[in-house]
Amino acid sequence: MLLYNTLGRELQEFIPVEAGKVGFYGCGPTVYNYAHIGNLRAYVTHDVLARTLRARGFDVRHVMNITDVGHLTGDNDEGDDKMLKSAEERGKNVLEIADFYTKAFFTDTDRLNIIRPTIVCKATEHIDDMIALIKRIEANGYTYFAGGNLYFDTAKFADYGKLALLRSEEQKTNARVETDNNKRNSRDFALWFTKSKYENQALVWDSPWGRGYPGWHIECSAMSMKYLGEQFDIHAGGIDHISIHHTNEIAQSESSTGKSPWVRYWIHNEFLVLGRDKMSKSTGGFLTLQTLVDRGYDPLDYRYFLLGAHYRSHVQFSFEALNGAKHARRSLCDRVRALGKKWEKGRKADKTVSSDVALSYLAKFNAAMDEDLSTPRAFAGLFGLLKDAGKGEIDPSAALNVVFQMDEILGLNLRRLIEKDKETSGATDSVDDEVKAAEIKEIEEKIAERAAAKKDKDFVKADAIRAALKAKGIILEDKPNETIWRKLI
Ligand code: AMP
Ligand code: ZN
């Protein structure tokens, strides 16, 4: 199996530390808000990777953290504390916020048929592990204390920046951009904050450096090594994590253990973009999975949409494209259902064909997945198989068997479709869905009316339509080529 390793920037044969086993850590969510559909792209990627490895017979231990302390709005220690800010805005305490959004996160990942990680670990429950790790880093001489905080001294770690290909000259001469004057070098980062950063931090713990709380990066080093050992196989996250978060994780882990490489394969997914912008939680302009559901999509339409692109390519989100995915998935479900009916009736193929043809499609599918998880090419294997099976050229039971094997990786719930025929695709049959469809049609008509008013420069009418929709809890957002809407949650 080949994986594109960010460390080395090339496709590499996957060879685990221990034969037959895989230690895999994927950076989890910061639970101060709902996950947006861009974040969910990262978790679908982790899921496809874990499923593929399992399908190849590996015993995968997948660990994911929940960040419920220490993450500031800027990944480099700048800005506000995300959890604290969210709690203040919502009039709740930090733990209530963390609990609410953690549950919301798993509701979303369950709906996307993402298999839950083997171990989910919360930062606030691993403070002792973080303190122990920081002590090791300190004992090895990689820290300094300034202004009440303990910092990692990046100049002391010769390999700093190897993942992001940062040049050391650049690193040294990098002008100070942040407001933290305690830092000797702009890339240095906090391992432990005391009250110097926030007088009123909600959650604080005693430590050798004073009462305070951990920096964001240390949790991933501490928890991954606790559950996967000091050197493990795969670490994943979005590409935004390469230059700061993952770079700092490597510095912490390798300086504490003296072992390199800490992680063998670094897997990074590209961004989901909306219009010209990367979707982002902190800027507020984001869509949630629930928004898509409110607009009549099945969460699996979104999963299908994501699988249609390679995880390392930019994906431009639009409702037009999502519609395409929705129809394609329904047609896939219909074809699988038809195959199920043939199989139920025990009808054999017209021509006698052995299961070799089905297996050749499976081989095609597997070859694509084994080449850096190439889902778009893998789909070609699935569609080819369904086409031939539809023509009666493959025995239905052999074909279905292969479809199910492919779906172990794709995760589109195709087996359940056969087992419970009414699931997923026939959604528009129910009364509820008819009401929803009528509601959606009305909103879309209003948006079209508003677009026409704007074209005629009748801004009073356009604003009135926006206000009327807002009163019903429908928020409009104008993008370069379309207006998108979401329901207030
Ligand atoms: P966060 O909760 O902000 O720490 O992000 C969770 C995960 O989502 C991380 O792996 C990020 O790299 C990833 N991510 C953030 N924004 C996007 C985006 N627009 N598209 C794809 N992945 C993203
Ligand atoms: Zn992390």
Side-chain angles (χ1 to χ4, degrees), residues 41 170 176 244 254 265 276 311 362 367 406 447:
R41 181 178 192 200
E170 209 176 277
R176 284 183 197 280
I244 300 179
E254 296 190 356
Y265 303 89
R276 284 217 210 112
Y311 76 93
L362 181 61
M406 292 174 174
I447 291 176

Side-chain angles (χ1 to χ4, degrees), residues 24-299:
F24 166 35
Y25 185 87
C27 289
T30 306
V31 284
Y32 69 106
N33 200 343
Y34 291 101
H36 58 61
I37 57 173
N39 299 132
L40 293 172
R41 181 178 192 200
Y43 303 109
V44 168
T45 304
H46 300 181
D47 186 50
V48 170
L49 173 60
R51 281 170 177 269
T52 308
L53 290 163
R54 286 190 177 119
R56 299 296 168 264
F58 288 107
D59 176 7
V60 179
R61 180 175 245 221
H62 176 189
V63 178
M64 186 184 79
N65 63 309
I66 298 284
T67 301
D68 50 2
V69 67
H71 196 175
L72 308 188
T73 46
D75 287 351
N76 54 353
D77 304 334
E78 281 183 77
D80 295 321
D81 181 300
K82 292 186 178 187
M83 296 298 303
L84 205 59
K85 191 169 168 222
S86 172
E88 277 165 9
E89 280 168 9
R90 290 166 174 83
K92 297 256 171 22
N93 74 47
V94 168
L95 291 177
E96 285 168 339
I97 290 291
D99 189 50
F100 179 84
Y101 288 114
T102 302
K103 287 194 179 117
F105 175 78
F106 284 115
T107 303
D108 282 350
T109 58
D110 287 350
R111 292 197 289 183
L112 284 167
N113 208 17
I114 291 173
I115 297 173
R116 294 220 185 176
T118 327
I119 294 170
V120 174
C121 38
K122 290 185 187 174
T124 48
E125 291 173 1
H126 292 77
I127 301 294
D128 288 348
D129 299 294
M130 295 185 219
I131 291 176
L133 188 64
I134 300 172
K135 279 189 185 165
R136 285 176 75 183
I137 301 171
E138 187 178 41
N140 290 346
Y142 292 92
T143 64
Y144 59 91
F145 193 78
N149 303 320
L150 189 76
Y151 292 95
F152 187 96
D153 190 348
T154 54
K156 297 254 172 72
F157 185 64
D159 265 355
Y160 188 81
K162 65 178 170 183
L163 180 72
L165 304 179
L166 304 173
R167 283 180 298 149
S168 60
E169 275 317 299
E170 209 176 277
Q171 195 184 312
K172 279 183 201 127
T173 55
N174 208 350
R176 284 183 197 280
V177 280
E178 78 295 297
T179 46
D180 188 346
N181 290 320
N182 298 315
K183 290 185 184 179
R184 293 180 187 161
N185 184 307
S186 64
R187 293 202 185 270
D188 293 353
F189 56 92
L191 295 164
W192 190 266
F193 288 111
T194 63
K195 64 182 176 145
S196 67
K197 186 83 187 181
Y198 291 109
E199 280 287 349
N200 302 317
Q201 176 60 277
L203 301 173
V204 283
W205 294 265
D206 286 326
S207 84
W209 314 281
R211 202 162 165 72
Y213 61 102
W216 172 41
H217 317 293
I218 196 72
E219 67 175 81
C220 288
S221 291
M223 295 193 280
S224 62
M225 290 200 279
K226 173 169 181 153
Y227 295 110
L228 298 171
E230 292 189 351
Q231 289 178 293
F232 60 92
D233 301 301
I234 303 178
H235 194 129
I239 46 154
D240 53 332
H241 284 348
I242 298 173
S243 64
I244 300 179
H245 184 50
H246 289 165
T247 288
N248 292 350
E249 283 187 38
I250 292 175
Q252 296 167 149
S253 306
E254 296 190 356
S255 66
S256 67
T257 65
K259 295 177 189 166
S260 176
W262 169 48
V263 170
R264 292 187 169 208
Y265 303 89
W266 287 86
I267 310 295
H268 291 101
N269 64 277
E270 251 296 348
F271 280 139
L272 177 87
V273 286
L274 183 65
R276 284 217 210 112
D277 311 322
K278 148 182 141 49
M279 195 165 284
S280 129
K281 269 194 238 182
S282 21
T283 54
F286 69 88
L287 295 170
T288 62
L289 189 65
Q290 186 58 42
T291 313
L292 308 188
V293 171
D294 288 341
R295 293 191 58 161
Y297 296 95
D298 186 304

Side-chain angles (χ1 to χ4, degrees), residues 339 342 348-359 361 384-399:
L339 201 54
K342 269 192 194 175
K348 287 276 170 193
D350 299 337
K351 300 171 198 165
T352 323
V353 181
S354 74
S355 56
D356 288 359
V357 182
L359 292 179
Y361 282 115
L385 172 83
L386 287 172
K387 196 168 166 206
D388 283 2
K391 287 192 286 187
E393 289 179 6
I394 303 177
D395 175 78
S397 101

